Amino acid sequence: MNQDNKEYCESNLFNGLNGHSLISPIESVSNLVEPKIRLGILASGNGSNFEFIIKSIQNNELNAEVSILIVNNPSCLAIEKAIKYDIPYVIINHRDCNSRLEHDKLVMNKLEELSVELVVMAGWMRIVGEEIINKFNNRLINIHPSLLPSFKGIDAIQQAMDKRVTITGCTVHYVQKDVDSGSIIIQAAVPLKEKDSIETLKKRIQDMEHIILPLAIAKVAIEIRTSFKDKK
Ligand code: GRF
């Protein structure tokens, strides 16, 4: 190995991501879609992604407004965040519905009533039916904690650890009928560390989720506005 190669290898190649994360290249995203895009956020859990969407709006990184947070789980922490940031929210508990379709329709009606343009599943632990998918075609996105198409479904982080992959990550994608299968919008790669536990890895993946989800929203918002213009 000559000196140049040796230096290259030492500086780059063998260091891999050097413990850092990597975001997939996306065309420069302008946050200046006008007027603000109206978001509907669906959440079932802690709502950390929901909170980072709000922060991106507050920091002028995203020209959007959250028209509504919809939760299906009355005890989820996302509700506290909605109260903290004064965002309207509604609990539509699937346990009060007789069927998935009935629940989906209630969710869809609420989104339509508020003229939501883009629906973001930010930790929504429910499969959505075709009615919603068709209604919000190319306007319904989800965040998933793996580098899709690997490790679909629940426990994606554990699945990746069990397979002893060396790099995993997170993906924002359009929602299609098959779970975690729609076109990919943006991804972030997160290397595993030898001493990772599920908690440490989850934390690093979530840190990247909080970055890529607002970027994906900005990107899709531009696409929505462009396709609207095209139709005029
Ligand atoms: C995230 O890890 C997301 O990838 C998955 O659910 C989790 C939601 O976390 N779909 P939070 O409720 O946003 O904190």
Side-chain angles (χ1 to χ4, degrees):
M1 191 182 289
N2 68 31
Q3 188 57 28
D4 281 355
N5 282 348
K6 191 165 174 286
E7 274 171 22
Y8 178 74
C9 288
E10 279 171 2
S11 63
N12 287 306
L13 205 54
F14 295 145
N15 287 331
L17 294 175
N18 207 11
H20 297 296
S21 306
L22 175 74
I23 296 179
S24 55
I26 57 171
E27 280 165 33
S28 69
V29 163
S30 158
N31 60 0
L32 296 175
V33 339
E34 291 286 355
K36 290 177 184 182
I37 194 97
R38 288 187 300 281
L39 304 177
I41 312 292
L42 310 184
S44 310
N46 290 332
S48 71
N49 279 286
F50 166 52
E51 183 165 28
F52 271 82
I53 293 168
I54 298 167
K55 285 184 177 171
S56 300
I57 295 171
Q58 289 180 339
N59 296 338
N60 295 322
E61 289 158 11
L62 198 55
N63 201 25
E65 66 183 37
V66 180
S67 303
I68 190 80
L69 167 76
I70 300 180
V71 301
N72 65 308
N73 166 11
S75 56
C76 80
L77 294 176
I79 294 174
E80 289 177 14
K81 283 157 188 149
I83 294 168
K84 177 175 167 191
Y85 293 98
D86 204 14
I87 303 286
Y89 74 92
V90 61
I91 302 166
I92 304 180
N93 190 343
H94 60 280
R95 291 182 189 88
D96 296 339
C97 297
N98 292 319
S99 66
R100 181 179 297 281
L101 185 61
E102 186 186 332
H103 185 251
D104 273 4
K105 277 192 175 156
L106 291 174
V107 170
M108 199 165 82
N109 290 346
K110 181 50 83 179
L111 294 168
E112 286 197 285
E113 181 190 313
L114 296 167
S115 304
V116 163
E117 297 171 275
L118 171 57
V119 184
V120 182
M121 291 169 40
W124 179 248
M125 303 308 285
R126 304 243 335 139
I127 293 173
V128 285
E130 278 183 77
E131 295 231 351
I132 296 189
I133 293 172
N134 293 339
K135 184 87 220 168
F136 288 93
N137 184 30
N138 290 329
R139 297 188 295 128
L140 174 60
I141 65 175
N142 179 48
I143 181 138
H144 181 76
S146 79
L147 282 181
L148 291 172
S150 294
F151 311 125
K152 296 174 180 174
I154 55 166
D155 295 332
I157 301 174
Q158 188 62 55
Q159 289 182 52
M161 288 185 92
D162 292 345
K163 287 286 180 196
R164 296 174 180 274
V165 297
T166 53
I167 297 176
T168 182
C170 46
T171 304
V172 184
H173 63 95
Y174 290 101
V175 176
Q176 285 300 331
K177 193 163 137 282
D178 293 329
V179 174
D180 300 327
S181 295
S183 315
I184 290 167
I185 300 161
I186 185 170
Q187 293 182 300
V190 176
L192 275 83
K193 293 181 180 170
E194 226 173 277
K195 291 194 176 145
D196 260 333
S197 62
I198 182 100
E199 288 77 24
T200 57
L201 180 57
K202 182 175 175 189
K203 164 85 176 69
R204 292 206 310 290
I205 291 175
Q206 283 223 316
D207 286 346
M208 296 312 291
E209 290 186 344
H210 299 156
I211 296 171
I212 66 169
L213 186 54
L215 288 174
I217 292 170
K219 185 167 190 267
V220 176
I222 290 168
E223 280 166 15
I224 290 172
R225 285 291 150 73
T226 314
S227 69
F228 179 69
K229 257 195 228 144
D230 290 348
K231 279 183 202 147
K232 273 213 255 181

